Amino acid sequence: DTGVSQDPRHKITKRGQNVTFRCDPISEHNRLYWYRQTLGQGPEFLTYFQNEAQLEKSRLLSDRFSAERPKGSFSTLEIQRTEQGDSAMYLCASSLYRGRNEKLFFGSGTQLSVL
Amino acid sequence: DAKTTQPTSMDCAEGRAANLPCNHSTISGNEYVYWYRQIHSQGPQYIIHGLKNNETNEMASLIITEDRKSSTLILPHATLRDTAVYYCIVRAPYGQNFVFGPGTRLSVLP
């Protein structure tokens, strides 16, 4: 059973550059979530998809952020014109949503450092 | 905003039970209580969840008070590998996302 996979594990970039992260959910999971986590804080919700539809976006998701899940399988999160404040761990989670008893399974995250 | 309050940190001796409290005094009738934990440098891991009955699985037990305003996660025999941040979350069954607070940092001491 393969878990949620995220790539890359670490990314160092210069301010102003664009970065893209990939998340491969657990097979058959219909929901996919993106969270952001800074040191000492709990994960903060960014957005989630049910199949290929993006159903909710947080206020934290500025217009520099875009997420896609084109075929309802893997997802990408792109950050344009990165800023130092974007430095964080970006976590992806997936679930098999059937209404009740939803459980999120998280990947190990992508650690972004913006210099 | 998170609907729960948890102590910032706790210590527990190895081999003893770890009892982690969570206050959710504004919980609604259809909201579940979930517990996750996060070991350093990893993503959060699901532990257990429940609505009003006590629950037990291979990892932990969840005790929910009768008025559902608080709960306790019990790790019956804590090991060093249980050192982590533990998050208590309340969420409606058809809720849009899971809201994490800062959690409780549990340190299991040898």
Side-chain angles (χ1 to χ4, degrees):
Chain A
D1 175 30
T2 56
V4 177
S5 177
Q6 292 189 246
D7 184 68
R9 281 283 276 140
H10 303 276
K11 179 71 177 178
I12 300 174
T13 191
K14 293 182 179 179
R15 188 175 51 190
Q17 297 294 305
N18 299 343
V19 294
T20 300
F21 311 139
R22 177 179 170 121
C23 172
D24 286 273
I26 294 172
S27 180
E28 307 301 326
H29 277 192
N30 53 0
R31 279 197 172 180
L32 187 148
Y33 294 75
W34 285 100
Y35 282 80
R36 180 174 71 185
Q37 186 173 28
T38 53
L39 200 61
Q41 303 297 316
E44 296 174 295
F45 169 76
L46 292 178
T47 188
Y48 88 98
F49 295 82
Q50 182 155 319
N51 299 312
E52 63 275 9
Q54 189 172 17
L55 295 188
E56 186 180 353
K57 292 193 288 187
S58 163
R59 290 172 292 145
L60 295 175
L61 212 67
S62 76
D63 56 6
R64 296 186 297 107
F65 288 69
S66 62
E68 295 183 341
R69 194 182 183 200
K71 297 182 180 179
S73 57
F74 74 93
S75 175
T76 58
L77 177 67
E78 180 183 18
I79 309 174
Q80 296 183 327
R81 305 180 302 281
T82 53
E83 302 172 356
Q84 288 184 324
D86 297 330
S87 295
M89 174 75 80
Y90 289 84
L91 292 162
C92 174
S94 70
S95 71
L96 181 60
Y97 177 72
R98 292 174 175 163
R100 298 177 182 274
N101 298 314
E102 183 180 5
K103 302 175 193 176
L104 298 189
F105 294 84
F106 282 83
S108 296
T110 293
Q111 182 67 53
L112 173 66
S113 297
V114 182
L115 305 178
Chain B
D1 292 336
K3 297 182 179 181
T4 63
T5 55
Q6 300 176 250
T8 302
S9 63
M10 294 181 63
D11 292 339
C12 176
E14 188 179 17
R16 304 298 294 269
N19 297 286
L20 292 94
C22 179
N23 184 294
H24 32 80
S25 57
T26 61
I27 193 170
S28 300
N30 66 343
E31 288 183 317
Y32 285 71
V33 179
Y34 281 79
W35 284 84
Y36 282 78
R37 74 179 182 184
Q38 187 172 24
I39 296 170
H40 184 60
S41 298
Q42 298 182 21
Q45 176 192 24
Y46 167 83
I47 301 173
I48 199 167
H49 76 287
L51 183 61
K52 49 186 174 183
N53 297 323
N54 297 337
E55 302 286 345
T56 295
N57 63 20
E58 65 279 3
M59 290 182 69
S61 295
L62 173 60
I63 308 298
I64 303 174
T65 58
E66 192 168 344
D67 64 6
R68 303 207 326 121
K69 293 185 176 181
S70 65
S71 61
T72 301
L73 179 74
I74 301 172
L75 308 178
H77 305 287
T79 71
L80 299 179
R81 289 177 294 180
D82 293 321
T83 292
V85 177
Y86 287 76
Y87 300 101
C88 172
I89 300 165
V90 295
R91 179 181 181 269
Y94 304 103
Q96 304 302 325
N97 66 77
F98 289 74
V99 178
F100 288 79
T104 295
R105 182 171 298 278
L106 175 69
S107 298
V108 180
L109 307 175

